[in-house]
Amino acid sequence: QVQLVESGGGLVQPGGSLRLSCAASGIIFSLSDMSWYRQAPGKQREFVARITLGGSTIYADSVKGRFTISRDNDKNTASLQMDSLKPEDTGAYYCKARNRVTGYESWGQGTQVTVSS
């Protein structure tokens, strides 16, 4: 059974930091590109960051220089370090895994991030 479980969300003041984690099971993690998406209330889900199975990274312009995505293939975990948070970063953050060989995608249930003073 495929399962992606996000954790680490919460309430933080502007300028603060949070670290999100995505624990994966039931997938071949080392063959999967891992991504983070977010969805603010009333808005469409948007791409945040991706790390490929080879370790290459790509970021949305809105988070470039503030967020860092990483992965630990030994622990089947992907992380998103978020620094210098802004109120516009508020939303539900979702982890996605995409198997490079089969194209199969799976999503986590999301974790809420709220940036507010």
Side-chain angles (χ1 to χ4, degrees):
Q1 181 182 0
V2 177
Q3 194 171 21
L4 299 179
V5 179
E6 301 97 334
S7 61
L11 173 64
V12 63
Q13 292 187 341
S17 297
L18 282 175
R19 185 177 181 87
L20 306 183
S21 293
C22 173
S25 59
I27 64 170
I28 305 176
F29 190 81
S30 60
L31 290 182
S32 299
D33 293 338
M34 300 299 297
S35 302
W36 287 93
Y37 287 74
R38 66 186 180 189
Q39 186 168 19
K43 294 188 176 181
Q44 288 189 331
R45 192 172 296 188
E46 65 175 5
F47 169 79
V48 175
R50 176 176 299 121
I51 184 165
T52 69
L53 57 88
S56 298
T57 58
I58 185 169
Y59 297 92
D61 287 344
S62 59
V63 306
K64 205 171 292 184
R66 300 188 298 121
F67 290 12
T68 303
I69 189 171
S70 61
R71 64 189 294 157
D72 186 333
N73 287 345
D74 291 332
K75 296 181 179 179
N76 285 8
T77 301
S79 299
L80 185 68
Q81 177 66 38
M82 305 187 297
D83 299 318
S84 302
L85 283 161
K86 305 175 181 179
E88 50 263 44
D89 294 318
T90 293
Y93 281 70
Y94 299 88
C95 174
K96 186 185 85 171
R98 183 178 185 278
N99 187 294
R100 277 284 199 94
V101 177
T102 66
Y104 180 80
E105 296 184 350
S106 52
W107 290 83
Q109 83 291 344
T111 185
Q112 179 67 33
V113 171
T114 303
V115 184
S116 174
S117 54

